[in-house]
Amino acid sequence: MRDSSLSAIFGALSNEMRMSTIANNLANVNTTAYKKDTMAFHDVFTRFAHDHVVTTKSYLRDKDMFPRPDIMAKPRLSEQTIDFSQGSLQETGNQLDIALSGEGLFKVQSPSGMLYTRAGNFVVDSTGTLVTEQGTPVMVSGGSLTVPPGAKLSVDEGGNISVNGNPTGSFDLVTFDDIGRLERVGGNFYRAQEGAAEVVPPDDLVVQQGFIEKGNVEVVTEMVSMIETQRSFTMYTKMIQGTDQLDKTMIQSLSRITG
C-alpha cells in the first residue's frame, strides 16, 4: 500500500474522531453547565534508516528538496481535554437553582463514589433530600441536606445555606490542583483520576441562588469546525481513492508488460 494511503487513512480516522466530539458538544448545547470537549492533533514524522546516514550534500544535490522526501507525516490525536471555562448565567428565580461563578465544583455522593458537578439545577426528592436532577444527593457540610415541604431555602454568595432562616450548613465546594485530571462521567458529572487532589476554591468563587450556568458550547464555532472537519474528511477520502486508482493502473500496466 502506498504511504499516501496510510497518511490519508490516519487523517480520515482523526477527523472522524473530531466530528464525533463536535457532534457531542452540539447535542449538549442546552445541557446545564455542560463543559465542551476539545481536541488537538499533531503530525508524527516517520523517519527512515538513511535519515541518520551522514553524507556530503554537494555529492547529491545543490539544495534540499522541499518537502523532504524521506519523511512521512501521519496525524495523531495528541490531546483530548475538557474545557472548564465559565458558561453564562441564566436567571430562573427558582430557589433550588444554584450557579457557580468562578472556579469550583459541587460534591455529590453517587453509588459508585464521590463525583463532582457544576450543574446546580437541584430538586428535592420524595424523602426531602436535596439531589441533582439524576437523583444524586448533594453534599452539604459532609452529608446530605433535608428540606421540609414548603420550606424557604436561602443561599448566600459563600454557599452557606439557611432553611426557614435557620443555618443548616454550606455546600461542599472544591476544586483541584490540576483540574485537567478530572474525567467525565456522563454529561455533567466528573470523577477525579488517581493523584488528583482536592483544594479549597479560590476566594473569587461566588455562589448565586436563582441562577443556572449554561453550557460553554458556542454553536457558531462548533458549526464552523464541523464544516472544516467534513471538508478535511472528504479530502482524505479522495486521496485514498486516487491512490487506489493509481495502484490499479500500475498493476494493469505491469501485467501487460510481464504477460
Side-chain angles (χ1 to χ4, degrees):
M1 183 181 289
R2 288 175 177 266
D3 294 336
S4 57
S5 292
L6 288 174
S7 296
I9 289 171
F10 281 108
L13 291 173
S14 297
N15 278 280
E16 180 183 5
M17 186 176 297
R18 184 184 180 193
M19 180 63 76
S20 177
T21 300
I22 294 171
N24 185 62
N25 287 339
L26 289 173
N28 286 280
V29 67
N30 292 319
T31 301
T32 302
Y34 176 79
K35 300 303 177 185
K36 64 182 180 181
D37 289 313
T38 60
M39 306 181 75
F41 298 89
H42 71 284
D43 284 334
V44 176
F45 293 99
T46 305
R47 296 183 178 273
F48 298 91
H50 59 73
D51 294 341
H52 306 285
V53 177
V54 179
T55 59
T56 304
K57 183 188 299 183
S58 59
Y59 290 167
L60 301 177
R61 61 180 71 90
D62 293 335
K63 296 180 179 179
D64 286 334
M65 295 179 64
F66 182 83
R68 294 276 300 276
D70 53 1
I71 296 178
M72 294 188 299
K74 296 180 177 62
R76 291 286 197 282
L77 173 64
S78 60
E79 186 178 29
Q80 183 172 5
T81 59
I82 303 170
D83 180 1
F84 281 98
S85 61
Q86 178 76 43
S88 61
L89 301 187
Q90 178 181 350
E91 186 174 5
T92 64
N94 186 343
Q95 67 171 0
L96 297 180
D97 285 341
I98 313 296
L100 300 180
S101 179
E103 182 181 338
L105 297 148
F106 296 104
K107 294 178 67 173
V108 296
Q109 183 64 57
S110 75
S112 61
M114 193 65 65
L115 299 178
Y116 308 87
T117 185
R118 293 270 303 186
N121 50 336
F122 302 136
V123 295
V124 176
D125 67 9
S126 58
T127 65
T129 303
L130 186 69
V131 297
T132 65
E133 277 195 331
Q134 293 76 17
T136 307
V138 182
M139 299 299 292
V140 174
S141 297
S144 59
L145 174 67
T146 301
V147 182
K152 182 180 180 181
L153 186 143
S154 301
V155 182
D156 65 17
E157 293 186 348
N160 301 304
I161 305 170
S162 297
V163 178
N164 291 330
N166 301 314
T168 55
S170 58
F171 286 111
D172 291 348
L173 301 174
V174 299
T175 186
F176 287 83
D177 53 354
D178 182 6
I179 200 166
R181 294 186 61 80
L182 292 180
E183 60 179 355
R184 192 186 302 277
V185 182
N188 265 336
F189 295 109
Y190 307 94
R191 178 186 292 117
Q193 297 181 14
E194 184 177 355
E198 294 182 2
V199 296
V200 178
D203 295 334
D204 59 357
L205 175 64
V206 177
V207 180
Q208 296 187 262
Q209 185 179 20
F211 290 81
I212 58 171
E213 181 185 2
K214 301 179 69 175
N216 63 354
V217 179
E218 298 179 2
V219 176
V220 175
T221 301
E222 296 296 323
M223 291 299 294
V224 170
S225 297
M226 177 176 285
I227 294 171
E228 177 187 345
T229 304
Q230 288 176 328
R231 291 179 176 175
S232 296
F233 185 85
T234 301
M235 178 192 69
Y236 283 120
T237 55
K238 287 183 177 179
M239 185 184 300
I240 295 172
Q241 293 169 357
T243 302
D244 181 62
Q245 186 60 45
L246 286 175
D247 286 341
K248 289 180 179 178
T249 302
M250 181 181 64
I251 292 172
Q252 291 172 357
S253 300
L254 288 174
S255 64
R256 286 195 297 266
I257 294 173
T258 57

